Amino acid sequence: MASCMPHSIGATAKFPGSHHYQSSKLFTADQSRSVYRGGTIKWDCLKLEFRGNSSRRVYSLRSTFTTVACSLSSVNGTSSSGERVVALVIGGGGREHALCYALKRSPTCDAVFCAPGNAGISNSGDATCISDLDILDSSAVISFCREWGVGLVVVGPEAHLVAGLSNDLVKAGIPTFGPSSEAAALEGSKNFMKGICDKYGIPTAKYRTFADSTAAKSYIKEQGAPIVIKADGLAAGKGVIVALTLEEAYDAVDSMLVKGDFGSAGCRVVIEEYLEGEEASFFALVDGENAIPLESAQDHKRVGDGDTGPNTGGMGAYSPAPVLTKELQSLVMKSIILPTVKGMANEGCKFVGVLYAGLMIERKSGLPKLIEYNVRFGDPECQVLMVRLESDLAQVLLAACKGELSGISLDWSPGSAMVVVMASKGYPGSYEKGTLIQNLEEAEQVSPFVKVFHAGTALDTNGNFIAAGGRVLGVTAKGRDLEEARDRAYQAVDQINWPGGFHRKDIGWRALPLKQYSTKG
C-alpha cells in the first residue's frame, strides 16, 4: 500500500473524536468518509495526500467509523522489524472479527480490511469493512488487493475455501492463508477425510458411506444405536445428528437422502460409530510441510445447558482445555496432525492454512480419535485463541504462506479465556431478525480484559445495534484462570440488554463446578 504523508502534523495524528495512533497504525474518524486512492481526503483540520498510482477509485465505507490505512514510518524515521503488510480478512462473522482484532494488534500490520465484515467490526475500529466487495468473485477480490497493496489475505469461511478462492489468489501472486479447494476437501467432504484417515492410519471412528437410504438404514440396524449420521458436504455446522435411537437415525437418513433437507451436502451420508468421551478442539498452523500447534480450546456445540438440544455452530468455548494435557497434545500432533499433513502432500494437494481437528478423547482408552476436520479457524474457538495470542499474527500467517513455519514458536498470554455466545431466540431453528441490542459499551467496561466480538449485527436507521443472524455476539474475557475468565464473561453478558437473545449459562462446565449467575436470557 502506498504510504501517505500528512501535511502540517507530526508523527502522531488525531482526528476529532478519535484515539491517537502512532506510526504504522490506523487513523480513525468518527464520521463516514470516502477513501480515495491516489487522491486526497479532506477534514476540517487536516489533509492527507496519498502518493501512489495514478488511479483514482472511491470506496464508500458505510460505517460509523472509517479507517484509513497509512504508514507513518517515513515521518518519524522508525520502522518495525519484519515485513510490513496490509491484510484483508474474508468473511463477516465472529471468527473474522477476532482475526481482525489480532491482526490489528500485529506490530507489522499497517492496515486491516474485512470484506464484507459487519457493523460491529466496523464500529469497533478493528478493521475497515468493505461491504460492497463481492467475495464470491475472485477477480474482484484480486483487483481490490492490487489496488490497495494487500500483502496477506486470510480466508475465514469454509465455503469460500472449498469454492477455490485461495487457488485464484495464490495464482495471482497474492499470499493467502487458507487451503486450496483440493486440500479444503478435508472439510468439504467427510468421505474424503475418512479416506485419508484410512490410507494414512489416522485414528478415527469406524464408518461407512451411503447414497442409498435403504442400504444406510440396513447398516444402521446392524450397528444399533446410538449412532452418528453426517451429511457428507458442508452444512453450516448443522449436518451432524447424534441419534440415540434407531428411529432418530432413520429420520436423519430420510432428512438427508430422501427429503433433501441439506441440499447437495446431504446427497451422501457418512454413518459413524458413536464414541463416548470428552470432545476437544485442536488447532495447528500448516505450511504444506510443517505444522505448529496452537493452544487448546473446547467448544460447546449443543444449544442448551448441560449439552442438551440440537447441535449449533457453537455456543461458547474456553482455552486452554484441561482435557488436552501436554502429553495428549503431543500425541495428537504425532498420530493425527502430522500424518494428515504428510498424507495431503503425498496426494498432491499440500495443505496451507489452519487444521482444526475435532477430537474425542475416548473414555475407555483415554486416547484421541479424529471426529472431523475443519480447514479454518473454529468459531467461537478463534475468539478465545486470538485474545490470548501474543505473537505477531501477520508474520506467523505470512510464514505459513511461504512454507517457512519450521522453527517458529508462538507466545500466549498466561491464564485462560472464555467466550459466551449470545444468539437470537429460536436459534438454531427459525429466529427473528432486527431485535434491538443495547449496552454493549457497558459490557466491555466490566473489565479491560473483556472484548465483545460481533458475529451477526447490523445498525438500524437510528444507529442502534440490531440482531442480523442466529449467533450474534461472542462475549469474551481473559482471566488469571478459567474461573476468573468465566466470571468476567458472564458479568459482561449480564450488562447487555437484549430481550430477543439467549445464551447458555454453563460454558466451561466440564472444567469448572457450576455457578449461579444473575444473567438475563
Side-chain angles (χ1 to χ4, degrees), residues 437-472:
I437 306 169
Q438 295 177 303
N439 296 355
L440 293 175
E441 289 185 7
E442 288 82 350
E444 290 196 329
Q445 290 168 2
V446 162
S447 166
F449 300 101
V450 169
K451 174 70 177 178
V452 178
F453 292 110
H454 290 243
T457 60
L459 296 176
D460 65 13
T461 54
N462 296 317
N464 299 310
F465 279 110
I466 56 174
R471 293 185 301 157
V472 176

Side-chain angles (χ1 to χ4, degrees), residues 469-482:
R471 293 185 301 157
V472 176
L473 301 169
V475 183
T476 309
K478 290 198 297 182
R480 289 167 295 184
D481 52 31
L482 187 55

Side-chain angles (χ1 to χ4, degrees), residues 238 301-304 309-313 315 423-431 470 502:
K238 300 172 187 174
K301 284 294 184 190
R302 291 183 178 267
V303 72
N311 275 338
T312 71
M315 295 301 295
S424 296
K425 287 182 177 177
Y427 174 82
S430 60
Y431 53 83
F502 77 98

